[in-house]
């Protein structure tokens, strides 16, 4: 499109979520609370995984990077949104807008790749339990994680470098609360085909490609779980992947609804966008925290005969006691000699070892 005598736009104006000052004040308090909760949850999860050697496993390595990606994703979107809720002039420069677009691409693309890598990890744990330790070796899961960050960075770099050459004139109002590439393209008065085609390709390859990998993994996982004869075995298998399946549903469900809807600034579009960019990063860490507490803590201690029973802050062992040469009167002779546990051994190591075959 010919530019003619149009003046070039160097900053954009966001309409935000509401023009009512009272509603904006309530939204500021709400989103500030969500953001602080997101920061606290993800930092706590990162610290726990870092500090507990029992959690140095492939799944928790993926989870630590997912938490960091959620932390970055939320920090790219929410602080600027909070500023605009309090500010009368909600503007941003073109350079600042493209910077936010770049980091949105990096974090969102990396998270999509991490979720597909975690799906493969769950596939190996449930469908190939006896070979899990060989399949998910350190070299493989390290390559999957750092490859996810590399693909996210490359995807962002290609799209933003092409967007730098776009020219914006006259129209500078964005009917949204954040700056994303689909919101910028309609405002350009230059040829957008060079930016639109890479955006569509990256969406298909990066978004749809990872979704298909997750879908195929869970198709195989569910078919294997349904083939388990015992109810308890099926229940344990489903609990192994329930947190990840919930996170995948939230991420792809809200993201798909957000990007399939036109950029009109309608209330329903803004709701799905808030779910995708603000609420989901908070829920991911919460889901995995609850999963870790219920399954790896209470249920495993209750079902395992070789782990300590916690009672009023003290650990006591189920009988027969793991003490060399000690038995209660009337106890039968143990058929298998029990090796005493060394002092200071990690009591939860059995919880995070390579999975065994399900009944």
């Amino acid at each position: 499109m010919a530019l003619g005598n149009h003046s070039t736009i160097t900053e954009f104006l966001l309409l935000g979520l509401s023009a009512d000052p009272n509603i904006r004040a309530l939204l500021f308090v709400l989103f500030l609370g969500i953001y602080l909760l997101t920061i606290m949850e993800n930092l706590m999860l990162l610290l726990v995984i870092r500090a507990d050697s029992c959690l140095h496993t492939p799944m928790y390595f993926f989870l630590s990077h997912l938490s960091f990606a959620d932390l970055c994703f939320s920090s790219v979107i929410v602080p600027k949104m909070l500023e605009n809720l309090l500010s009368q002039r909600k503007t941003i420069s073109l350079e600042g807008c493209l910077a936010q677009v770049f980091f949105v691409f990096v974090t969102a693309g990396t998270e999509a790749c991490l979720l597909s890598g975690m799906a493969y990890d769950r596939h190996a744990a449930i469908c190939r339990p006896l070979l899990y330790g060989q399949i998910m070796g350190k070299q493989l899961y390290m390559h999957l994680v750092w490859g996810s960050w590399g693909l996210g960075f490359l995807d962002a770099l290609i799209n933003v470098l092409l967007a730098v050459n776009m020219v914006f004139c006259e129209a500078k109002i964005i009917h949204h609360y954040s700056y994303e590439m689909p919101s910028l393209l309609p405002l350009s008065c230059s040829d957008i085909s060079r930016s639109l085609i890479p955006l569509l390709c990256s969406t298909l390859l990066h978004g749809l490609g990872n979704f298909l990998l997750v879908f195929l993994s869970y198709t195989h996982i569910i078919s294997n779980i349904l083939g388990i004869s015992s109810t308890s075995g099926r229940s344990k298998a489903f609990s192994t992947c329930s947190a990840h399946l919930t996170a995948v549903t939230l991420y792809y469900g809200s993201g798909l609804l957000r990007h399939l809807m036109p950029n009109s600034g309608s209330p329903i579009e803004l709701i799905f966008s808030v779910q995708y960019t603000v609420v989901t990063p908070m829920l991911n860490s919460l889901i995995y925290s609850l999963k870790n507490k219920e399954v790896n803590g209470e249920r495993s201690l209750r079902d395992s005969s070789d782990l300590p029973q916690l009672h009023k802050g003290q650990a006591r062992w189920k009988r027969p006691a793991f003490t060399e040469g000690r038995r209660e009167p009337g106890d039968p002779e143990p058929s298998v000699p029990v090796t005493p546990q060394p002092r200071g051994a990690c009591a939860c190591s059995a919880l995070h070892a390579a999975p065994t075959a399900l009944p």
Side-chain angles (χ1 to χ4, degrees), residues 260-287:
L260 286 181
M261 300 187 68
N263 293 284
S264 60
S266 63
I268 189 67
E269 180 207 350
L270 293 176
I271 290 173
F272 284 125
S273 184
V274 167
Q275 166 68 37
Y276 175 65
T277 59
V278 180
V279 180
T280 298
M282 176 193 69
L283 291 180
N284 280 343
S285 57
L286 184 62
I287 290 168

Side-chain angles (χ1 to χ4, degrees), residues 176-196:
H176 213 266
Y177 63 86
S178 65
Y179 308 91
E180 298 179 20
M181 189 65 76
S183 302
L184 289 179
L185 293 178
L187 303 181
S188 176
C189 53
S190 59
D191 184 15
I192 63 172
S193 60
R194 292 181 59 188
S195 298
L196 185 60

Side-chain angles (χ1 to χ4, degrees), residues 72-82 100 104 177-180 277-278:
C72 296
F73 189 37
S74 183
S75 297
V76 169
I77 299 291
V78 181
K80 185 62 179 176
M81 181 177 66
L82 293 175
Q100 188 179 71
V104 167
Y177 63 86
S178 65
Y179 308 91
E180 298 179 20
T277 59
V278 180

Side-chain angles (χ1 to χ4, degrees), residues 235-256:
S235 176
K236 290 179 181 179
F238 272 118
S239 69
T240 302
C241 57
S242 59
H244 178 255
L245 186 58
T246 305
V248 167
T249 304
L250 283 173
Y251 179 81
Y252 281 105
S254 58
L256 186 64

